Amino acid sequence: MTDLTTRRTTAAVAPVMPSTGARRGIGLDEATLHDGFWKRMQDVNASASLQHSLDWMERLGWIENFDRVANGGTGPDRPGWMFSDSEIYKLIEALAWEFGRTGDQEIDAMLERLVDRILPAEDDDGYLNTCYGHDGQEPRYSDLERGHELYCAGHLIQAAVARLRTVGEDRLVALGRRVADHVCREFGADARQGLCGHPEIEVALMELARATGEERYREQAELFIERRGQGTLRPIPLLGPGYFQDDVPVRETEAWHGHAVRALYLAAAAVDLAVDRDDAGLLAALEAQWRRTVERRTYITGGMGSRHQDEGFGDDWELPPDRAYCETCAGIASNMVSWRLYLATGDVAYADLIERTLYNVVATSPSDDGRAFFYANPLQQREAGEEAVPDAVNARAEGGERAPWFEVSCCPTNLARTLASFTAYTASVDDDGMVSLLQYAAGEYRIEVAGGEVRLRIDTRYPDEGSVTVTVLAAPEGGASLRLRVPHWAHGAALERDGSTTAVETGWAAAHGLQAGAVLTLILPMHPRFSWPDARIDAVRGTVAVERGPLVLCLEERDLPDGAALDGVRVDAELAPLAHEDGALISADTAPSPHEGARRPSFGAVPAEPSGSSTLLPLVPYHRWAQRGPTAMRVFLPSRP
Amino acid sequence: MTDLTTRRTTAAVAPVMPSTGARRGIGLDEATLHDGFWKRMQDVNASASLQHSLDWMERLGWIENFDRVANGGTGPDRPGWMFSDSEIYKLIEALAWEFGRTGDQEIDAMLERLVDRILPAEDDDGYLNTCYGHDGQEPRYSDLERGHELYCAGHLIQAAVARLRTVGEDRLVALGRRVADHVCREFGADARQGLCGHPEIEVALMELARATGEERYREQAELFIERRGQGTLRPIPLLGPGYFQDDVPVRETEAWHGHAVRALYLAAAAVDLAVDRDDAGLLAALEAQWRRTVERRTYITGGMGSRHQDEGFGDDWELPPDRAYCETCAGIASNMVSWRLYLATGDVAYADLIERTLYNVVATSPSDDGRAFFYANPLQQREAGEEAVPDAVNARAEGGERAPWFEVSCCPTNLARTLASFTAYTASVDDDGMVSLLQYAAGEYRIEVAGGEVRLRIDTRYPDEGSVTVTVLAAPEGGASLRLRVPHWAHGAALERDGSTTAVETGWAAAHGLQAGAVLTLILPMHPRFSWPDARIDAVRGTVAVERGPLVLCLEERDLPDGAALDGVRVDAELAPLAHEDGALISADTAPSPHEGARRPSFGAVPAEPSGSSTLLPLVPYHRWAQRGPTAMRVFLPSRP
């Protein structure tokens, strides 16, 4: 049984702790969330998704793969993809953060039982992988392009970092160090000049260096980052070197491209390197990549990845809603990058994108019961999909229905570790004591600042309602400094203090010298609003979306009146949308599917538009789509010509 | 040296000769084309593309693979994909048709030299494949899903059929029979209940049965067709059984789906089966599949395949122009299906689609010099692509530039066999003597009909001009019966005869009792016209295309005035397009790229449209796009709101 009281300083209980810089995110132990949007997601994750993931991986033999290495029973018939080990490691990381968050001994025991299984599979020299290097398997590092060995090692190391920061040194941490040392020996400056087809080891080694103070891990991460983009890897047929970002060095990249998760994990590590090395040029390059990518290659949901073929970014402005890939893991990875850039710069835009992505990608993936997930998150479902096969492995759930598990099942465990550590992204603190509130979640916050502690209580029903009340429970000498994020969409926001209300611009609303008992209330306008796409996004020309607060809304076909079809809806954009439940009502013409029955060719001599009768239609939050069962759905609705 | 005078009856010199039915296509030897659109393409194919393909396959070792089987030098290091044998066979088929068309002895010699190389690789039992079944290779038929062994056999058989129909029995034909016999033994009713992951053997065996009169080949084809759709094949990870049409039996399919070339080769074979078996139910199912697919899953170019991921069809109405895959081979395969349905039914709609696909997919692929090709044929290129690497193997040339060769190089040889046999698709003749003119190409036609011969001369500069003059040179007793196809777009067409002009509807313009000396002139309206997409095609909402005769036009960025950007063009649809060279002029607003420089998020509170100055812009035929070098391009142009 692990004793949480032995753990290290509270300031370090977080996934990302830059070694330099004037800003840190808060630790998991610096806040206790009360009931609300994210607390509910965390609780479902803890009570359902963790065990659900464990059960599937046991059932499919992914955990037994470790036993087979330990007992010499390997062969060519290994179940699972070559990267399945990483899913167990991501689950361990999730369990580590979850135990750090709650101290739940059952969670700790679940973690320890998994460590019992993986430890015996370690080779004498610190190599740990169930797919390569043993009887009946291909040799170690014989397929760096596709083998994912360093990727798996990276996730094991991230699990070790989570353990180190939540409970301190233990056998998992020691294993992580040995695995990292093995990687440094095998891939160091004087050793094999290789890199992994899937970035991940870089961001893991960076954080391990920060958590242990061992510089050699940072040097190894740097080697991997700088080696990339030189054409070292053999291109995968039909995908090319851009798929795994081996075409252009990180410093010279203009926009993220290729496989989205690969590009974003690499970028996250590069931000870490820029920060820890105080490399302003590299940081500026990464900020420019973020701006370009967010402006031109990112969906209104924050989703990234327009293409199924390579799970990758498309060209600028290539943002089809129906074929949006928007992998859940890419949303998580986008937040990893934005969070690091926020800590490095303090720019509110990064926190804004994190919010967008959290509510509209991360929150969209899991089902209400935490036992089914979206892998891809398209913004349009043309026809109601089929029910996911219950209790079965699905391919990739390309829209339609959340599925209990996937052949490539990276998303459920990635969600698990993200939700378990969510609290860490809610606030940051600067060296000068300024506390920044970033993601609004009700709870109590006890944040260590220079010269003492700031204690706050936040009361809010955000995003259902727009008021966020912050009560200062304790402040250091001279009072507390606070700044509250005013989201970029929150035009007309106001701050109440001591009975007086002040209009605030988007960005930050700051207050200083706050003593215990001070109360601030941020009022964010939550009426639904139209969002018009940039004219360069061809795929949604002539359409409009509706947002409400941080939520993107959508129209589900099931909510249409009888006889109306989703592709017959034309929004009346002269009438502003109205708030309705947690979504909106819009005025629209509805009609049966255009020309259904009247056969005509797809291309004709005159423009064709359905004509129908005007009515009010209810929109619901996109993150809830298909929770009531399969349905056709649209985020972008054609507007009346 | 082969003597063309020994060949069989002229009526059989064509790729498709149904064994029943009242209609046949003309033979290659029943027409001699004069200079014109297709004659020029045939000549470039003959003088450049055939040798170009041969040189590449020699250079890459694909032909030497046969030598290695013959001399026992096989191993695991075989160059080329597992289906590379089929490229040699498709080239042989092209050479066979080309020799049948022209009698060029150099072409015949080239063919014979290839047969010299492949014959010694045949195993004792008629198995012929350079990738499986020999030293250092996987066993025969160990991977029916991906191995393409029966696919390769099918292409060899199609080459043998071409040889049989152009010169009669020879050693290639004998080889084709042995390979087919081997397939029947291995996969017959009482043997292995397998099928090939890529349909092709079916259509080949059907035609071999027709050409040889051997019923057992038809029975084997039927077995393969009826076995399909039962879930026999192991699904390929992440693609599923629909990828190779093993999810639903052919008879129960609603619309073509999965990998486009696979779906269409299978459908072609199924039409053959329906015709030869006089199976009206099967034929009706295939006609319904064609209608549904053409209405909802086909581009304005005739291109099929909306998805890169699986080179496959998308859902209904999923027709993105930028990510259109529209594989050249899928266009060829679509014509294979439409041609068979035309012969079976006489419905002009099939010939209309063939024309659309010929001019806008088939003709688009090759460069002017016949030494570079498009594999995919998107309808929009967002930014000028990179120059294809000259003298190198490209991945798949996904737009931008034609490439000399591909890793998967199915398209160049598929084009070669199609162009060499093009003449066969220009006309058909019914049992009652009615000659139907389908694709207008200048030349002399000597068509065998019941009771004699119809000889015609066609003079036309179609599609550059819209007049087609048919002079009857000889007619059987009672006169010739002719019908001329009036394309579905040709509203306002007229027929001149004996100095008088009659308006004709789209469909057919018929004339009977024509004696030698009679002259008919069909006048087709060739002014450019707007084509508006169906309101259900989300990806091109608010845009319009321009067509002229059978040609889809496009706007290349290189033709814009200085300072204007392709994504700043807004068409003034109030003004009809004007004829201009072989394309059109349109009136449009032009502007710099919308908001370029003025950074704004991709989604805003007000609709954003560029505003610019009005000008005339030249459009060029889509099939010529990028012939002047890489450029951004659009078929569908946004119209002014």
Side-chain angles (χ1 to χ4, degrees), chain A residues 81 236-239 290-292 294-301 306-310 315-320 322-323 325 356 380-383 395-396 398 407-408 488 530-543 547 567 570 593-610 634 636 638-639, chain B residues 81 236-239 290-292 294-301 306-310 315-320 322-323 325 356 380-383 395-396 398 407-408 488 530-543 547 567 570 593-610 634 636 638-639:
Chain A
W81 286 84
I236 293 178
L238 308 182
L239 291 177
W290 184 94
R291 282 195 301 273
R292 170 80 175 242
V294 171
E295 188 193 30
R296 301 178 181 212
R297 301 185 176 191
T298 302
Y299 285 91
I300 192 171
T301 54
S306 309
R307 296 182 177 176
H308 282 59
Q309 183 183 19
D310 57 353
D315 293 334
D316 284 353
W317 312 114
E318 181 191 321
L319 294 166
D322 52 345
R323 294 294 286 168
Y325 199 68
R356 183 173 286 280
Q380 177 180 358
Q381 179 74 20
R382 215 171 275 281
E383 296 191 22
R396 258 185 194 152
E398 293 190 352
E407 290 179 27
V408 174
H488 67 98
F530 284 129
S531 288
W532 300 90
D534 188 289
R536 286 167 290 188
I537 307 176
D538 287 305
V540 289
R541 174 169 292 105
T543 70
E547 296 181 88
D567 55 5
R570 295 293 179 273
S593 188
H595 333 296
E596 196 68 71
R599 274 201 55 224
R600 45 163 275 159
S602 299
F603 305 94
V606 291
E609 275 295 324
R634 300 186 71 118
F636 288 99
S639 59
Chain B
W81 285 84
I236 293 177
L238 308 182
L239 292 177
W290 185 95
R291 282 194 302 272
R292 169 82 175 241
V294 171
E295 188 193 30
R296 300 179 181 212
R297 300 184 177 193
T298 302
Y299 285 92
I300 192 171
T301 55
S306 308
R307 296 182 178 177
H308 283 58
Q309 184 183 19
D310 57 354
D315 293 334
D316 284 353
W317 313 114
E318 181 190 323
L319 295 166
D322 52 343
R323 294 294 287 169
Y325 199 70
R356 183 172 287 281
Q380 176 179 358
Q381 179 74 21
R382 215 170 275 280
E383 295 191 22
R396 257 183 195 156
E398 290 190 355
E407 290 179 27
V408 174
H488 68 98
F530 284 129
S531 288
W532 300 89
D534 188 289
R536 284 167 290 188
I537 308 176
D538 288 303
V540 290
R541 174 170 292 107
T543 71
E547 296 182 87
D567 56 6
R570 293 293 178 274
S593 187
H595 335 293
E596 196 69 71
R599 272 200 57 223
R600 46 163 273 159
S602 299
F603 304 93
V606 291
E609 273 296 323
R634 299 185 70 117
F636 288 98
S639 61

Side-chain angles (χ1 to χ4, degrees), chain B residues 157-194:
Chain B
I157 291 167
Q158 286 192 314
V161 168
R163 195 65 169 164
L164 180 56
R165 290 203 172 132
T166 48
V167 305
E169 298 285 352
D170 78 344
R171 58 184 184 151
L172 174 60
V173 176
L175 175 64
R177 288 172 181 268
R178 290 194 300 275
V179 167
D181 289 339
H182 163 84
V183 170
C184 292
R185 278 196 308 277
E186 293 288 324
F187 291 89
D190 304 324
R192 187 187 276 108
Q193 299 301 298

Side-chain angles (χ1 to χ4, degrees), chain B residues 137-172:
Chain B
Q137 301 179 331
E138 295 295 313
R140 291 178 183 183
Y141 306 124
S142 54
D143 185 3
L144 287 172
E145 289 76 14
R146 284 183 275 212
H148 286 76
E149 288 158 282
L150 293 171
Y151 170 89
C152 289
H155 278 301
L156 175 75
I157 291 167
Q158 286 192 314
V161 168
R163 195 65 169 164
L164 180 56
R165 290 203 172 132
T166 48
V167 305
E169 298 285 352
D170 78 344
R171 58 184 184 151
L172 174 60

Side-chain angles (χ1 to χ4, degrees), chain A residues 449-514:
Chain A
V449 299
E453 191 182 54
V454 172
R455 292 185 57 200
L456 308 170
R457 192 180 69 241
I458 298 182
D459 295 295
T460 183
R461 290 175 37 79
Y462 189 84
D464 291 343
E465 296 173 9
S467 85
V468 180
T469 298
V470 182
T471 306
V472 178
L473 303 178
E477 205 171 342
S481 289
L482 276 185
R483 57 179 194 174
L484 283 68
R485 184 175 65 89
V486 184
H488 67 98
W489 47 262
H491 299 289
L495 190 68
E496 287 178 10
R497 184 178 173 183
D498 303 332
S500 73
T501 302
T502 319
V504 290
E505 299 289 308
T506 61
W508 298 108
H512 302 275
L514 296 164

Side-chain angles (χ1 to χ4, degrees), chain A residues 54-354:
Chain A
L54 181 68
D55 291 346
W56 269 103
M57 294 196 283
E58 192 73 89
R59 172 173 173 178
L60 295 173
W62 298 0
I63 305 178
E64 194 185 352
N65 283 333
F66 290 91
D67 308 337
R68 293 177 69 185
V69 170
N71 65 28
T74 55
D77 61 337
R78 176 184 174 281
W81 286 84
M82 61 283 259
F83 40 77
S84 67
D85 292 359
S86 70
E87 306 308 333
I88 288 94
Y89 303 150
K90 280 191 287 184
L91 178 59
I92 295 176
E93 184 189 343
L95 292 165
W97 294 126
E98 183 62 21
F99 180 56
R101 181 175 80 90
T102 62
D104 183 335
Q105 292 294 340
E106 280 186 35
I107 295 290
D108 186 58
M110 195 186 291
L111 183 154
E112 290 294 346
R113 284 194 297 272
L114 279 174
V115 176
D116 289 341
R117 300 283 288 278
I118 66 172
L119 262 180
E122 182 193 6
D123 290 351
D124 291 342
D125 61 351
Y127 179 84
L128 174 58
N129 191 287
T130 72
C131 190
Y132 290 91
H134 307 100
D135 284 350
Q137 300 180 330
E138 295 296 313
R140 291 180 183 182
Y141 306 124
S142 54
D143 185 1
L144 287 172
E145 289 76 14
R146 283 183 274 212
H148 286 75
E149 288 157 282
L150 293 171
Y151 169 89
C152 288
H155 278 302
L156 185 276
I157 291 167
Q158 286 193 314
V161 167
R163 196 62 170 165
L164 179 56
R165 289 202 172 135
T166 47
V167 305
E169 299 284 351
D170 78 345
R171 57 185 185 151
L172 173 60
V173 177
L175 174 64
R177 288 173 181 266
R178 290 194 300 274
V179 167
D181 290 339
H182 164 84
V183 170
C184 292
R185 278 195 309 276
E186 292 288 322
F187 291 88
D190 304 324
R192 187 188 274 108
Q193 298 301 297
L195 61 162
C196 184
H198 198 315
E200 158 62 26
I201 186 69
E202 299 84 355
V203 74
L205 287 171
M206 284 300 309
E207 209 62 34
L208 184 64
R210 293 165 167 182
T212 62
E214 298 279 7
E215 180 60 22
R216 67 181 183 281
Y217 300 139
R218 188 176 286 111
E219 285 167 3
Q220 185 61 46
E222 183 172 18
L223 280 175
F224 283 134
I225 292 168
E226 299 291 0
R227 266 177 206 162
R228 208 166 198 96
Q230 319 285 349
T232 305
L233 297 168
R234 293 164 301 186
I236 293 178
L238 308 182
L239 291 177
Y243 171 69
F244 36 41
Q245 296 77 43
D246 197 28
D247 53 341
V248 183
V250 173
R251 289 172 194 276
E252 297 165 26
T253 297
E254 283 191 11
W256 294 323
H257 60 278
H259 188 268
V261 176
R262 282 173 167 80
L264 294 163
Y265 280 5
L266 177 65
V271 178
D272 287 339
L273 182 67
V275 166
D276 284 7
R277 293 275 192 252
D278 202 14
D279 184 339
L282 179 57
L283 185 63
L286 289 155
E287 286 193 275
Q289 290 163 24
W290 184 94
R291 282 195 301 273
R292 170 80 175 242
T293 305
V294 171
E295 188 193 30
R296 301 178 181 212
R297 301 185 176 191
T298 302
Y299 285 91
I300 192 171
T301 54
M304 294 189 182
S306 309
R307 296 182 177 176
H308 282 59
Q309 183 183 19
D310 57 353
E311 306 189 304
F313 287 99
D315 293 334
D316 284 353
W317 312 114
E318 181 191 321
L319 294 166
D322 52 345
R323 294 294 286 168
Y325 199 68
C326 295
E327 184 181 339
T328 301
C329 287
I332 290 168
S334 164
N335 281 353
M336 287 168 57
V337 179
S338 293
W339 179 243
R340 284 160 172 80
L341 287 171
Y342 169 73
L343 291 180
T345 65
D347 187 336
V348 71
Y350 299 116
D352 281 343
L353 185 69
I354 290 173

